[in-house]
Amino acid sequence: MEDYFDGLTYDKGIMNIIMGKYTDFSEKHDADEDFYKHLEAKMDYVDFCEPVYENHKPICYQYIDHTENITNQVKDCSLTCHRMLNYLLECDYPERKKQLKLLQDCANICDTQSLFLVKNSQFSKQLALLCAHICEICGNECKKWPDYYSQHCAKICLDCAIACIQYGKM
């Protein structure tokens, strides 16, 4: 049975799990207890998967996204900063150059952070702390301006900073 875990068959199973698909092994091995024990041992290191059981046997592994909340917050922050940036450029506010640059930096780091989260990068927690720092600075700069859009952007950026700090320190 071990050869199912070597080479292409094992890699396809892992890729299906990583890509968020169900990986069903029950068709080939209905009653082989050793196979299921071996499968569980091999899959243990994949912390974003959980087994789906039928008759006390794992029949497949389901992708679990533990980063969905922070990913959504980071994407929301990026979109908000991009919108705010466009608003400021269209309205021609020359006195807000610092805010414009920070909005660009914040949107860029949030875009990068969301990519690192989605691909489960080993560096996503370190990057989250940098993202938090930039979001906090951007949020504080936006908070200085009294218009509704800047105040809304400040709230989104500061909320994102808190989420990134929490994730980075997990």
Side-chain angles (χ1 to χ4, degrees):
M1 297 290 171
E2 301 235 359
D3 56 335
Y4 283 102
F5 294 103
D6 297 324
L8 192 59
T9 306
Y10 178 66
D11 291 342
K12 274 187 176 177
I14 293 294
M15 285 311 296
N16 283 341
I17 290 169
I18 291 170
M19 298 304 289
K21 300 174 184 172
Y22 285 95
T23 304
D24 188 357
F25 295 99
S26 63
E27 293 174 14
K28 295 179 183 176
H29 309 282
D30 284 332
D32 191 342
E33 294 289 326
D34 290 335
F35 174 79
Y36 292 109
K37 287 179 185 173
H38 187 68
L39 176 64
E40 279 190 283
K42 285 284 190 175
M43 298 309 289
D44 241 7
Y45 75 94
V46 184
D47 65 346
F48 50 89
C49 298
E50 91 178 3
V52 176
Y53 291 94
E54 186 176 284
N55 298 327
H56 307 291
K57 294 179 186 177
I59 58 169
C60 63
Y61 282 81
Q62 178 181 355
Y63 173 76
I64 303 299
D65 188 358
H66 297 292
T67 62
E68 185 175 354
N69 186 38
I70 186 174
T71 303
N72 289 337
Q73 281 191 286
V74 170
K75 286 179 180 178
D76 189 34
C77 187
S78 171
L79 289 173
T80 303
C81 287
H82 281 297
R83 287 183 188 126
M84 184 68 198
L85 187 61
N86 288 335
Y87 168 74
L88 291 176
L89 290 172
E90 287 173 6
C91 294
D92 192 30
Y93 286 109
E95 69 276 8
R96 294 192 180 191
K97 285 185 181 180
K98 183 177 180 183
Q99 187 183 18
L100 285 168
K101 288 181 180 183
L102 286 169
L103 286 165
Q104 286 175 328
D105 289 344
C106 190
N108 289 339
I109 194 70
C110 286
D111 287 339
T112 303
Q113 178 64 34
S114 68
L115 290 173
F116 274 55
L117 286 165
V118 167
K119 68 179 195 164
N120 197 29
S121 170
Q122 65 183 358
F123 304 109
S124 64
K125 290 189 181 201
Q126 292 94 339
L127 186 62
L129 296 175
L130 176 61
C131 186
H133 181 68
I134 294 171
C135 287
E136 182 180 9
I137 293 170
C138 183
N140 287 332
E141 180 63 26
C142 288
K143 202 192 291 189
K144 293 177 185 176
W145 300 96
D147 62 280
Y148 168 79
Y149 298 110
S150 291
Q151 293 300 308
H152 175 70
C153 190
K155 181 186 179 333
I156 299 295
C157 288
L158 294 173
D159 287 348
C160 184
I162 291 168
C164 285
I165 289 170
Q166 290 171 344
Y167 174 75
K169 293 187 175 183
M170 279 177 34

